[in-house]
């Protein structure tokens, strides 16, 4: 059965945003006393802290709450809400809850134990088994999931322009083979570990949404203080600011970005060099197989790369043809036989350009593309089948394969594309409003968070957003600095072959910086990902590593909770000594040689290093870097790296330098 609960849209904190909505609030509800679906049969309440209970009713009505020998009363406020706070209780149960006023509600089979809320995007949402993902040994895991004292609560997807007190859910369900299949796998394996180790009931609240960036999970009050999001938050407080208006605003920003960059490219003289005309001699350009990532054509961040291909057409044209290039990060100007046929700004937009019949010649034809990356490494990166010419008759001529390239001597100085495009879920604050705000102030022990993939291209910005989210959620709940445990992004994509810059490495760095906040913990997943699947199947180990952090830091149990975390370096001539926290019994699997370390000197060019373990330190050096200044380890989307401690927990990726990364300035 699905339950819904609604009271007026209100902001949870007093301040700037609340004032803009006071006149827009609907009248207070009237009718019987109600409870939100958070308070239902089989629920788990957090032990050892005050227990808030709330609901709706007719203004002025008196509500009485009876629970485990406690009786509390409250009057329904003018806005139709009421709330009581029960005294802290130890773990135990089952208990019954009776709420009475003009009507009576009875809730049964309530346990007191440990409550954890889990949130984030698809890797936290990934269930044990579904049509899009499944965990290792999923059938075996589902069959064994008989844990009646683990209770599961799943919030359904919802988005709202302003904070709501409405959620949709099937309510609390005791964990069994029949109920666990669609639940968050990472959360289930975390909860199972706690239940087995602590021997007390565990309540898990899942509120997730695949593919969503962090700003969508942040409150309007938090984002209003960020100059990069203030305009959006101001717009969203307006009752008539529709999704269509948001889309129009986004498109206008993209158009302005494209035109500004187009003018800059022209100002640099790139499109007037004559390199796009068919008569230009490109004999000395470098061969390259396309599609291929930017870094493999030798072009750096904000450098413009020219791509050129000659094609032979056997017959006279009988109409326009379509030139398809797939997606390009981030900006391109494309010519056919020296005439511009397209100019696009967009990270994932498929380039399909119409080539007029009068530009097409039988025999030799020349395609030229000027591509520019602003903070993204992909370049012309689509599937081979996406590169082709299609004639008016529907015949296809493949273009994947051998091209030539040349780096333009000029370098652009441009900001990143605006974040987007918007959708129902892809707008700042809308998921916080609909899937987090309604859960406040339900009593809990702490938060689990697995998110970041959608923000990888804005990793430097994530440094600020992530710590702001943690601080803001703690303020919303007013439970102090409750534990906030998160998963660092797992390895993904093609295996690293050489030292490189990388967005995902910078995002992992941004995540790790949140450990500067009190009562935070990080589960490193750099060794349990999947090169071919952004949703790795080994969620058992993800849940276990989160649980190790909780058992050690929250529950005071003496278990190893982390792999090695870089602490400091000491340079001695041509060697660098690295020291770590959690470095007991450093090792590699099966004693294999240590890998994944790279060093650089003043030129900031990284070279693979020789590395060896000495006690609780690692010593690195490279014959190519006689005067090392910086070290990086496991610095790629899917990096090389095999450093572990004695608990078989992997070292977290790190770098010792603070040189600007490839996502600096991306918004």
């Amino acid at each position: 059965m699905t339950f819904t609960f609604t009271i007026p849209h209100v902001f949870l904190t007093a301040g700037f945003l609340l004032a803009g909505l006071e006149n827009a609030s609907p009248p207070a509800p009237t009718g019987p006393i109600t409870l939100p679906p958070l308070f239902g049969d089989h629920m788990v309440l957090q032990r050892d802290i005050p227990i808030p209970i709330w609901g709706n009713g007719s203004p002025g009505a008196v509500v009485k709450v009876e629970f485990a020998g406690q009786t509390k009363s409250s009057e329904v406020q003018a806005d139709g809400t009421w709330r009581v706070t029960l005294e802290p209780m130890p773990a135990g149960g089952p208990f019954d809850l009776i709420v009475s006023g003009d009507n009576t509600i009875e809730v049964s089979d309530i346990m007191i134990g440990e409550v954890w809320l889990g949130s984030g995007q698809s890797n936290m949402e990934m269930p044990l088994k579904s049509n899009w993902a499944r965990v290792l040994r999923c059938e075996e895991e589902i069959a064994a999931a008989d844990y009646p004292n683990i209770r599961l609560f799943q919030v359904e997807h919802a988005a709202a322009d302003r904070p709501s007190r409405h959620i949709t859910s099937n309510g609390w369900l005791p964990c069994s083979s029949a109920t666990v299949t669609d639940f968050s796998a990472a959360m289930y394996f975390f909860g199972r570990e706690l239940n087995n180790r602590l021997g007390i009931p565990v309540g898990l609240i899942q509120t997730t949404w695949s593919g969503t960036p962090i700003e969508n999970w942040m409150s309007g009050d938090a984002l209003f203080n960020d100059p990069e999001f203030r305009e959006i938050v101001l717009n969203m407080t307006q009752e008539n600011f529709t999704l269509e208006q948001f889309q129009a605003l986004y498109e206008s920003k993209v158009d302005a970005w494209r035109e500004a960059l187009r003018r800059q490219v022209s100002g640099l003289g790139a499109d007037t060099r004559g390199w796009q005309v068919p008569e230009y001699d490109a004999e000395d350009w470098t061969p390259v197989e396309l599609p291929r990532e930017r870094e493999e054509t030798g072009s750096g961040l904000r450098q413009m790369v020219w791509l050129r291909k000659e094609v032979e057409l056997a017959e006279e044209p009988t109409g326009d043809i379509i030139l398809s290039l797939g997606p390009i990060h981030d900006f391109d100007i494309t010519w056919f036989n020296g005439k511009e046929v397209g100019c696009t700004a967009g990270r994932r937009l498929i380039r399909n350009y119409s080539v007029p019949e009068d530009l097409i010649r039988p025999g030799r034809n020349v395609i030229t593309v000027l591509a520019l990356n602003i903070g993204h490494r992909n370049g012309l990166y689509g599937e081979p089948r996406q590169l082709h010419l299609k004639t008016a008759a529907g015949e296809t001529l493949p273009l994947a394969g051998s091209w030539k390239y040349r780096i333009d001597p000029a370098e652009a100085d441009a900001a990143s594309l605006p974040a987007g495009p918007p959708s129902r879920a892809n707008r700042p604050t809308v998921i916080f409003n609909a899937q987090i705000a309604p859960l406040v102030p339900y009593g809990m022990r702490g938060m689990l968070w697995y998110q970041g993939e959608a923000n990888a291209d804005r990793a430097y910005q994530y440094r600020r957003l992530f710590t702001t989210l943690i601080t803001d959620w703690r303020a919303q709940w007013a439970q102090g600095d409750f534990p906030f445990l998160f998963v660092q992004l797992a390895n993904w994509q093609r295996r690293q072959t050489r030292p490189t810059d990388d967005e995902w490495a910078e995002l992992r760095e941004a995540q790790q910086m949140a450990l500067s906040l009190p009562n935070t913990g990080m589960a490193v997943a750099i060794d349990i990902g999947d090169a071919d699947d952004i949703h790795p199947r080994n969620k058992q180990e993800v849940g276990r590593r989160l649980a190790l952090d909780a058992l050690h830091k929250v529950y005071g149990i003496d278990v190893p909770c982390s792999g090695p975390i870089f602490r400091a370096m000491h340079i001695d001539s041509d060697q660098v000594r690295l020291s770590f926290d959690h470095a007991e019994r450093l090792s590699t699997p099966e004693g294999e040689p240590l890998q994944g370390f790279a060093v650089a000197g003043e030129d900031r060019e990284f070279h693979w290093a020789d590395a060896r373990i000495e006690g609780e330190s690692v010593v690195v050096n490279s014959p190519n870097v006689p005067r090392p200044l910086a070290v990086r380890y496991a610095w790629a989307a899917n990096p090389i790296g095999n450093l572990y401690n004695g608990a078989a927990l992997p070292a977290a990726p790190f770098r010792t330098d603070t040189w600007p990364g490839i996502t600096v300035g991306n918004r």
Side-chain angles (χ1 to χ4, degrees):
M1 181 176 181
T2 297
F3 303 91
T4 60
F5 175 71
T6 308
I7 68 171
H9 295 304
V10 293
F11 276 99
L12 299 177
T13 58
F16 166 78
L17 296 172
L18 180 61
L21 295 176
E22 289 175 346
N23 296 330
S25 298
T30 60
I33 299 297
T34 62
L35 289 170
L38 273 169
F39 301 101
D41 294 345
H42 317 302
M43 69 177 171
V44 180
L45 299 173
Q46 178 60 45
R47 63 170 174 165
D48 300 333
I49 68 169
I51 303 171
I53 309 287
W54 69 87
N56 263 12
S58 297
V62 176
V63 179
K64 183 171 69 171
V65 176
E66 300 172 84
F67 182 73
Q70 298 188 48
T71 300
K72 301 282 184 176
S73 296
S74 175
E75 181 177 320
V76 181
Q77 303 301 302
D79 64 357
T81 64
W82 59 268
R83 174 177 165 180
V84 302
T85 302
L86 301 174
E87 301 301 321
M89 295 182 60
F95 300 102
D96 294 330
L97 173 72
I98 299 175
V99 180
S100 57
D102 295 334
N103 56 297
T104 299
I105 302 171
E106 297 185 9
V107 182
S108 62
D109 189 30
I110 300 169
M111 307 301 290
I112 307 294
E114 289 297 295
V115 178
W116 286 82
L117 186 149
S119 189
Q121 57 182 111
S122 56
N123 270 306
M124 184 63 88
E125 182 162 297
M126 179 179 164
L128 275 73
K129 180 182 178 182
S130 73
N131 60 0
W132 61 274
R134 57 185 58 194
V135 302
L136 296 175
R137 307 182 303 279
C138 63
E139 300 295 349
E140 176 185 337
E141 294 286 13
I142 292 169
D146 182 21
Y147 290 89
N149 278 339
I150 299 177
R151 309 293 175 85
L152 314 174
F153 186 92
Q154 197 166 13
V155 177
E156 294 189 10
H157 291 170
D161 289 342
R162 284 165 295 280
S164 172
R165 294 297 270 176
H166 164 95
I167 55 172
T168 301
S169 173
N170 287 325
W172 287 93
L173 301 172
C175 179
S176 69
S177 298
T179 61
V180 78
T181 301
D182 296 327
F183 197 76
S184 163
M187 290 194 69
Y188 164 67
F189 293 122
F190 169 84
R192 184 178 72 180
E193 194 76 14
L194 290 194
N195 183 249
N196 287 337
R197 295 295 295 265
L198 302 177
I200 61 175
V202 174
L204 302 173
I205 301 173
Q206 176 189 344
T207 178
T208 55
W209 198 326
S210 298
T212 51
I214 191 172
E215 61 266 25
N216 299 10
W217 293 93
M218 299 175 67
S219 74
D221 286 313
L223 280 180
F224 178 72
N225 292 319
D226 190 309
E228 293 170 11
F229 290 93
R230 182 172 297 143
E231 178 186 3
I232 295 174
V233 173
L234 281 170
N235 282 324
M236 292 184 68
T237 61
Q238 302 173 27
E239 283 284 339
N240 61 351
F241 192 71
T242 64
L243 178 58
E244 291 73 21
Q245 288 173 305
F246 200 111
Q247 178 71 32
L249 178 63
Y250 168 76
E251 290 176 356
S252 69
K253 290 184 175 182
V254 171
D255 289 343
W257 185 89
R258 183 183 64 248
E259 292 304 316
L261 192 51
R262 184 69 175 81
R263 290 192 298 270
Q264 183 180 156
V265 169
S266 296
L268 293 169
D271 60 349
T272 59
R273 302 189 195 284
W275 293 359
Q276 71 272 31
V277 299
E279 297 78 19
Y280 177 76
D281 183 4
E283 184 65 25
D284 61 343
W285 287 25
T286 306
V288 63
E289 294 290 312
L290 293 181
R292 184 167 291 236
E293 294 180 351
R294 166 188 60 79
E295 61 200 37
E296 296 180 15
T297 62
S299 63
L301 181 66
R302 292 177 172 81
Q303 283 186 313
M304 294 177 283
V305 59
W306 290 81
L307 304 165
R308 183 179 174 100
K309 186 175 182 66
E310 296 186 8
V311 294
E312 293 286 331
L313 299 178
E315 301 176 354
E316 289 281 352
T318 58
D320 297 351
I321 61 176
I322 300 299
L323 168 59
S324 296
L325 299 172
I328 298 176
H329 273 180
D330 299 283
F331 173 88
D332 73 286
I333 306 172
T334 298
W335 296 265
F336 194 93
N337 285 334
K339 299 295 183 181
E340 184 176 326
V341 294
C343 175
T344 302
R347 298 179 183 128
R348 299 175 182 87
L349 297 179
I350 304 300
R351 272 60 170 181
N352 289 321
Y353 296 139
S354 178
V355 180
E357 180 180 351
D358 59 7
L359 287 183
I360 308 165
R361 307 167 185 169
R364 177 178 176 268
N365 292 263
V366 178
I367 300 166
T368 311
V369 180
L370 176 62
L372 170 64
N373 296 86
I374 305 292
H376 306 92
R377 66 186 182 91
N378 296 105
L380 201 154
Y381 68 100
E383 298 294 329
R385 59 181 173 77
Q386 293 178 295
L387 276 67
H388 62 262
L389 286 172
K390 181 173 287 186
T391 68
E395 297 175 349
T396 298
L397 175 65
L399 297 178
S402 179
W403 289 57
K404 289 190 169 184
Y405 80 90
R406 178 175 179 175
I407 306 301
D408 195 278
E411 185 171 306
D413 181 17
S416 182
L417 272 164
S423 65
R424 184 171 75 99
N426 188 21
R427 289 174 291 155
T429 76
V430 297
I431 305 180
F432 172 88
N433 294 339
Q435 291 188 205
I436 297 297
L439 305 176
V440 179
Y442 195 86
M444 62 179 182
R445 177 63 66 199
M447 296 276 185
L448 307 175
W449 177 259
Y450 194 163
Q451 189 277 336
E453 299 91 336
N455 289 88
D457 58 353
R458 295 180 280 132
Y460 268 68
Q461 184 190 64
Y462 197 88
R463 297 178 177 189
R464 181 179 69 255
L465 294 181
F466 190 28
T467 54
T468 299
L469 177 139
I470 296 171
T471 302
D472 182 54
W473 283 18
R474 286 171 167 174
Q476 299 282 350
W477 257 268
Q479 282 186 204
D481 291 335
F482 55 65
F484 196 106
L485 311 181
F486 55 92
V487 182
Q488 192 181 50
L489 294 189
N491 50 310
W492 177 55
Q493 297 183 326
R494 183 168 48 194
R495 181 75 162 172
Q496 179 185 19
T497 58
R498 58 187 178 84
T500 184
D501 288 310
D502 191 86
E503 300 165 357
W504 275 50
E506 292 181 11
L507 195 284
R508 294 189 189 106
E509 178 182 54
Q511 292 176 311
Q512 185 168 329
M513 286 179 171
L515 294 177
S516 63
L517 295 177
N519 220 7
T520 53
M522 181 178 73
V524 176
I526 199 63
D527 61 332
I528 52 177
D530 187 326
D532 300 318
D533 193 345
I534 200 171
H535 306 115
R537 299 180 63 198
N538 191 359
K539 291 297 187 289
Q540 291 93 330
E541 185 64 7
V542 171
R544 188 185 80 90
R545 291 179 185 179
L546 283 169
L548 288 176
D549 227 353
L551 291 168
H552 180 82
K553 295 178 179 177
V554 180
Y555 301 108
I557 298 176
D558 185 17
V559 294
C561 65
S562 174
I565 301 290
F566 169 72
R567 182 175 70 241
M569 76 169 179
H570 175 72
I571 300 173
D572 183 9
S573 184
D574 64 342
Q575 294 192 138
V576 181
R577 182 175 296 274
L578 306 164
S579 58
F580 301 85
D581 295 322
H582 308 285
E584 300 81 7
R585 293 179 290 124
L586 292 179
S587 64
T588 61
E590 300 180 1
E592 61 194 22
L594 196 54
Q595 295 181 312
F597 291 87
V599 296
E602 290 183 356
D603 62 0
R604 302 188 179 186
E605 291 293 326
F606 280 88
H607 301 267
W608 288 129
D610 297 321
R612 65 184 185 274
I613 295 169
E614 292 189 358
E616 296 188 350
S617 300
V618 170
V619 178
V620 301
N621 70 287
S622 169
N624 297 309
V625 187
R627 299 182 62 185
L629 293 179
V631 179
R632 292 181 178 180
Y633 170 75
W635 195 261
N638 190 357
I640 297 170
N642 61 350
L643 178 64
Y644 289 77
N645 63 12
L649 293 173
F654 70 89
R655 62 172 178 157
T656 65
D657 63 276
T658 58
W659 299 330
I662 62 174
T663 65
V664 170
N666 287 2
R667 302 292 179 262

